[in-house]
Amino acid sequence: MADRFVYHCTLRWSDLDAYGHVNNSRFLTLYEEARVALMFAGGRAWGVGTLADGVVIRRHEVDYLRPVDYALGRATAAAAPTVRIELWVEEIRASRFTVAYELYDGDVLASTARSVLVPFDLGRRTPRRISDDERTFLLSYAAAGGSA
């Protein structure tokens, strides 16, 4: 497998449900935050800013393996707890790509997910093909044996 993109995400009080766990719907927000960091910061660091210009979600798939508690002795007045999200590109097609994720609560895998993304021309309001530069960037995070 190529390098994974690793993102440490601070949990927010608003992420919680009535039971003190991270709400199931907020997992998508956490995954989004990591994905945006990959495409905006990571892409621009590679000299590829076009993924930040327009990508839409075609599909999400999330598996919840265990609850993520907000505190568990980790939250202090000085620091909120964090989760670690590792993501990589699982598949690249001509006009879409799939990002896979793992969310860790400490060293424990709490959730896995996949998102199918489509590059999108916001001005024309139409999907577009992945450019050669985008493909090269995405391949740097591609899983070994995945479709590229």
Side-chain angles (χ1 to χ4, degrees):
M1 177 180 293
D3 289 334
R4 289 182 175 198
F5 185 83
V6 178
Y7 184 77
H8 296 273
C9 187
T10 301
L11 298 177
R12 297 156 291 259
W13 184 254
S14 62
D15 294 334
L16 302 182
D17 62 16
Y19 306 110
H21 303 134
V22 174
N23 185 281
N24 69 80
S25 65
R26 300 300 284 185
F27 277 71
L28 286 174
T29 301
L30 299 173
Y31 287 133
E32 174 188 41
E33 196 170 318
R35 184 179 63 250
V36 166
L38 169 67
M39 291 192 301
F40 282 56
R44 287 189 176 132
W46 268 73
V48 177
T50 50
L51 289 173
D53 293 339
V55 173
V56 296
I57 299 295
R58 179 175 174 193
R59 182 174 198 277
H60 284 304
E61 173 185 317
V62 181
D63 289 311
Y64 303 95
L65 306 176
R66 64 176 291 277
V68 174
D69 292 320
Y70 182 80
L72 287 180
R74 299 176 303 165
T76 67
T82 62
V83 293
R84 183 179 81 251
I85 300 171
E86 298 183 10
L87 57 151
W88 62 94
V89 177
E90 196 170 68
E91 180 180 51
I92 304 171
R93 297 292 181 117
S95 60
R96 72 175 188 267
F97 59 100
T98 303
V99 174
Y101 318 81
E102 291 178 346
L103 185 144
Y104 291 88
D105 183 9
D107 291 329
V108 178
L109 181 62
S111 175
T112 61
R114 286 179 179 71
S115 298
V116 178
L117 297 103
V118 176
F120 200 79
D121 183 323
L122 295 173
R124 295 182 184 173
R125 306 184 63 76
T126 60
R128 63 172 182 79
R129 297 176 74 78
I130 294 171
S131 73
D132 290 340
D133 287 343
E134 291 168 339
R135 180 177 297 278
T136 300
F137 167 68
L138 293 171
L139 282 171
S140 70
Y141 293 103
S147 301

